[in-house]
Amino acid sequence: MKIKSFFNQCQEKEVFKMLSIYIVSAWIILQVLSITWQPLGLPEKSVTILIVILLLCFPLYIFFLWKFKILPILKSEIGAELNEEKIINKATFKKTYFSFLAGITSLCAIAVFLIINKNFTQENNEPLPEVVSSNKIAVLKFGNNTGDSQYDIVSKMASDWIIHGITENQVAQVITQDLIDEYKTSLKGKSTTQDESVLIKKYLKPSKIISGNFYLQNGKMLFKAMITDGITNKTIISFKPSECTKNNPIQCIEDLNESVIGYFITEDKKGLLLQKTPPKYEGYKYLLEAKYSNNNQEYINLLNNAIAADSDYFEPKVLRVGHYYNIKEYKKSDSLLKLIKPDSYTNKRQLNLLNMYEALLKGDNRTVYKTIIEEYKIAPFDLKTNRTAMVVALQYVNRPKDVSEMFKAINMDSMNLKNCSDCVQRIYVNAFADIELGKNTIAIQSIEKAQKEDQAKLLNKPLVIAYVRANKTEALNAFLRKIKITSTPAETQELFLQAGKEYLLKDEKTKAHEYFDKITNAPKETLDSKILANALFYKEAFNKTKTVLKELHKINRKDIDVLTKLAICNFKQANQNEANKNISAIKNLRANYQFGEVDYALAQYYAAIDKTPELYNYLLKAAANGHSYHWKYFKNDPQFKKYNKTKEFEEVMNFWK
């Protein structure tokens, strides 16, 4: 019989309809059992068993379909009209039907054999599948050592809390206690019992295992936890015990969770951590936010939050000292430094940083440089460390050659300058180092490239200096015309003042006065008094300078720069008594944390009156007390132009080398 004719007869006799009823019914039963086997307490392999039964019954169903449905129809058809053709058709249909039945029976038998072999036979003959060693973390249920079963729930709570912290912060995949228990259940039929630690190591192979226990002591609940290596079982870290009231175990659990997550978050940064014990996660998070902040108030608030979250966290304490030092609140910086104690007196890195800040506050620049270099060797690619090392090399010990190598250590090509203040400051320091080395064109190129991306005002001053020293007058004037439009009058006048001072250093007085005149001729309402006083001073218009300086002195009688220039003006106008009073007032302003400011001022005065022994003596004192080799001091100060090529002056410049 042809297949098409066979299928047509099956269609007429509703064979396909009856088969579809079986298949659909079987599918519905499987779906229901897959959902209900667990609530009903049935074996886990109930669904598999049902599939086997349904496969075995399918050929039987087809046979009974023939016997009780199709055969009666065929008999009725032959009985109604007996002829040889009908009988032949019946025999042919029966033969084809049972051929299909034999094929379906074979397929079902093969399927049943494979299912049984895979799900039942292997269980007794083969070991559990072993997991390939990975970066998964196993979190075990905490041991209840209180002796009170009411705290059993705390065991589960502790592990669940840590699991949640690990997964929420995407630290790693977690092997839970439930999975371990499933493996233990699967092993019940084996001839040998399996210890839990052996099972974990043999079959699950996590990279690390978190375990712990808790107990009661003097009415308090104490939690202990450790992380062990999943392969060697060696203890990697034991956390400081967490203590809380027995009625509030969640406090201990949260504290422990912070320590555990802090360990994993900082695990790949061990070389950069300043303490052996990892910080708590909350504290570390605040510290990271602080490092990315460009706002001073927000920065210090975040550092305070980090310390509040983890009172043992060393790094934010040190950064807070550095912050107050940078904003010239030296007394506060010193008092905070005195409160910091190292984890131990064997932690060389902590001691090194404490020594660095102590040296900074004492003006011991040689020690500052030595200690920052030690820190730089550990973290040369950390932006803040790198930038600090550059600043110290240039401004504290006058080593501009060292700056270039530090700058090259971090590739700046992929940096977004708009969102990276440390990046801009590194360009700023490196540009001044290039200028000090006479590489003015290179400095110009690096600044102009940076300003195409970010019009950072910080870079304007070194650009003006480089333009003047490279004799690029047209480029300088074009830049200043642009600045006049885009910046405030005070910012523009400050750049005019700097250009004028640079021309004085080049012995081009006429050119210098052109820029000073741009300030003195500006509308009165736009003038900044301090800038005006400096412009008049460098023009040697001492009478007019005194008038402005006296007003500034009334506002701030402790302004050493104002007093120094007043003393020089008085001397130049042959008013020695007033000059002496000014000098006496300067000497009376000596105080802590001045870093040679008074000595430098006195050196300026003695340079103006041509007393060279006193000049060099006070310059050496200024350097020895930690005065900065900034872009406007020492050989960059027009007041020392007559002397900055001498051997004595070179000694001052090399004081810390």
Side-chain angles (χ1 to χ4, degrees), residues 265 269 272 284-300 302-303 315 319 381-384 387 415-423:
I265 291 292
K269 302 176 179 66
L272 296 178
Y284 180 72
K285 186 178 71 172
Y286 280 127
L287 179 67
L288 279 186
E289 291 175 7
K291 287 184 175 181
Y292 286 106
S293 173
N294 290 325
N295 179 283
N296 272 345
Q297 189 56 50
E298 181 186 50
Y299 176 77
I300 196 64
L302 288 167
L303 290 182
E315 188 171 359
L319 290 179
F381 309 119
D382 178 70
L383 277 172
K384 288 192 181 297
R387 182 206 70 194
M415 299 291 189
N416 183 351
L417 299 185
K418 288 184 180 295
N419 300 319
C420 182
S421 61
D422 285 322
C423 299

Side-chain angles (χ1 to χ4, degrees), residues 330-481:
Y330 302 118
K331 188 174 182 179
K332 190 165 188 177
S333 177
D334 199 4
S335 63
L336 289 171
L337 178 65
K338 287 181 171 66
L339 295 175
I340 301 175
K341 301 296 180 186
D343 291 346
S344 71
Y345 287 95
T346 59
N347 190 323
K348 292 182 179 179
R349 193 173 174 201
Q350 288 188 1
L351 292 171
N352 183 67
L353 280 172
L354 293 175
N355 289 337
M356 184 186 81
Y357 282 107
E358 185 179 357
L360 273 171
L361 290 162
K362 288 180 177 177
D364 180 3
N365 290 354
R366 184 175 286 107
T367 300
V368 173
Y369 184 68
K370 180 181 175 182
T371 50
I372 191 58
I373 288 300
E374 289 299 314
E375 184 67 13
Y376 172 77
K377 287 176 182 176
I378 296 169
F381 309 119
D382 178 70
L383 277 172
K384 288 192 181 297
T385 302
N386 186 287
R387 182 206 70 194
T388 303
M390 289 172 64
V391 170
V392 171
L394 180 67
Q395 297 184 8
Y396 285 68
V397 293
N398 189 33
R399 298 173 69 111
K401 288 183 180 178
D402 294 357
V403 174
S404 179
E405 289 304 311
M406 295 173 184
F407 183 74
K408 290 174 184 175
I410 300 176
N411 189 340
M412 299 287 287
D413 292 341
S414 60
M415 299 291 189
N416 183 351
L417 299 185
K418 288 184 180 295
N419 300 319
C420 182
S421 61
D422 285 322
C423 299
V424 175
Q425 288 171 15
R426 289 181 72 249
I427 293 170
Y428 171 85
V429 177
N430 189 58
F432 272 120
D434 284 336
I435 291 168
E436 290 297 318
L437 295 170
K439 300 177 182 178
N440 300 302
T441 303
I442 294 174
I444 291 168
Q445 289 171 350
S446 67
I447 295 171
E448 288 181 338
K449 180 183 176 183
Q451 288 197 325
K452 285 179 182 178
E453 183 180 340
D454 180 33
Q455 292 294 324
K457 292 179 180 179
L458 182 68
L459 300 176
N460 289 343
K461 196 160 286 181
L463 185 57
V464 166
I465 295 171
Y467 277 144
V468 175
R469 296 192 185 187
N471 297 313
K472 293 184 177 291
T473 307
E474 289 185 12
L476 170 66
N477 290 332
F479 175 70
L480 290 175
R481 283 195 295 271

Side-chain angles (χ1 to χ4, degrees), residues 150-168:
Q150 70 169 316
Y151 294 115
D152 285 348
I153 186 65
V154 177
S155 300
K156 176 72 171 163
M157 189 188 300
S159 59
D160 284 351
W161 204 272
I162 291 172
I163 289 168
H164 174 71
I166 291 172
T167 53
E168 183 182 38

Side-chain angles (χ1 to χ4, degrees), residues 92-154:
T92 307
F93 180 80
K94 180 180 179 181
K95 182 180 179 181
T96 307
Y97 187 90
F98 276 94
S99 296
F100 272 97
L101 176 58
I104 291 170
T105 302
S106 299
L107 291 173
C108 288
I110 292 169
V112 168
F113 172 78
L114 292 173
I115 291 170
I116 291 173
N117 187 60
K118 179 72 175 176
N119 291 276
F120 298 97
T121 308
Q122 287 187 2
E123 184 177 44
N124 296 320
N125 299 326
E126 294 185 10
L128 286 171
E130 294 186 12
V131 179
V132 177
S133 181
S134 66
N135 66 344
K136 292 185 176 72
I137 299 167
V139 181
L140 307 186
K141 187 169 67 175
F142 275 50
N144 178 5
N145 293 345
T146 64
D148 191 336
S149 60
Q150 70 169 316
Y151 294 115
D152 285 348
I153 186 65
V154 177

Side-chain angles (χ1 to χ4, degrees), residues 600-617:
Y600 188 86
L602 294 172
Q604 287 178 316
Y605 175 74
Y606 287 115
I609 65 174
D610 289 323
K611 286 194 175 182
T612 52
E614 289 86 348
L615 153 66
Y616 293 127
N617 180 48

